[in-house]
Amino acid sequence: MTKRPEKVADQDLVKVLAREVVHRVAPGELRTFRFTSEAYFADPRRALKGDRASDGVVGSGVTEVVEALTPVVLAVSSEVALYLAGLYAVRGASRAGRAASEAVRRLIRARSDDDAPGAQGPILELRTAEERHEVRRIVEEVMARNGYAEELAREIADALTEAGPEAGSEDP
C-alpha cells in the first residue's frame, strides 16, 4: 500500500507536477491553484475533506455540491513524486533527496503557456512499463481512497502516463 504522507520534502516538485495535471483535467482551477496548494500543504487532510457538503441557499430548494479536484491532484502528485524520487534514489545510490527530486523534475514534460487544456502526450516521460503501471496504480489508489470515480482516476492516470496503461515504449 502506498504511504499517506502528511508533507512532502519537495513541495515545489509536487506543485509543478500537480499544476500540469490540473491544467490538463481541470483548467478552471488554475486561477485558485496557488491558494489551494498552500491550504493543502498546511493541512492535507482538511484540504482533501474539502467542501463536499451541500452548499444550498436556505429555502431555495437548490443544493449545489462544491468539489475541487486540485487537493486530490496534489495528493496524487505527492505520492507519485515520492515513488519516483525513491526509485531514482535507489537507482543512483549516491543520489540523495534533492538530487532524486531533480531527476523526477526532469521527467515532467514541459508545457508551454500556449498549450491548450487537454494537450496530448504524457506529463511524465517514464522510462518503463513498470513505472507507468505503478504510477497508474498510485493514482487509482489515492483517488479511490478519497472517494473519486474510477473514470476520473483513469483520466488523471492517462494524463500522467499516456493514453492507457500499456502505452509507450518498453525498456530500452
Side-chain angles (χ1 to χ4, degrees):
M1 184 168 238
T2 304
K3 294 179 186 177
R4 297 179 190 182
E6 289 298 315
K7 297 201 181 226
V8 172
D10 192 345
Q11 292 180 5
D12 290 336
L13 172 62
V14 172
K15 288 177 189 176
V16 167
L17 183 55
R19 180 178 282 281
E20 293 300 320
V21 174
V22 169
H23 176 76
R24 190 78 62 91
V25 301
E29 293 185 26
L30 287 172
R31 296 171 306 176
T32 59
F33 183 85
R34 182 184 303 175
F35 171 78
T36 305
S37 63
E38 288 171 6
Y40 173 83
F41 285 111
D43 188 348
R45 289 185 182 160
R46 184 174 182 195
L48 284 166
K49 182 180 174 190
D51 189 3
R52 291 188 181 194
S54 62
D55 188 22
V57 177
V58 176
S60 71
V62 176
T63 301
E64 180 180 326
V65 175
V66 178
E67 184 171 39
L69 287 179
T70 300
V72 77
V73 168
L74 285 157
V76 164
S77 297
S78 293
E79 295 197 29
V80 167
L82 281 174
Y83 161 70
L84 292 172
L87 185 68
Y88 284 91
V90 169
R91 280 191 183 158
S94 64
R95 294 181 186 214
R98 199 70 172 147
S101 291
E102 288 305 316
V104 174
R105 192 177 299 270
R106 286 190 297 272
L107 296 176
I108 300 172
R109 187 176 143 260
R111 164 186 59 84
S112 96
D113 290 334
D114 296 334
D115 285 350
Q120 299 300 309
I123 292 168
L124 290 171
E125 294 191 24
L126 300 171
R127 297 177 180 160
T128 68
E130 181 181 342
E131 290 173 2
R132 286 186 296 279
H133 175 76
E134 183 62 13
V135 166
R136 293 183 74 80
R137 187 197 64 73
I138 291 168
V139 171
E140 291 165 3
E141 180 182 304
V142 173
M143 297 294 287
R145 184 171 65 223
N146 288 285
Y148 287 84
E150 286 180 31
E151 183 177 309
L152 184 56
R154 277 191 301 274
E155 182 179 356
I156 291 171
D158 287 350
L160 283 168
T161 62
E162 291 182 6
E166 300 305 322
S169 62
E170 292 301 314
D171 297 339

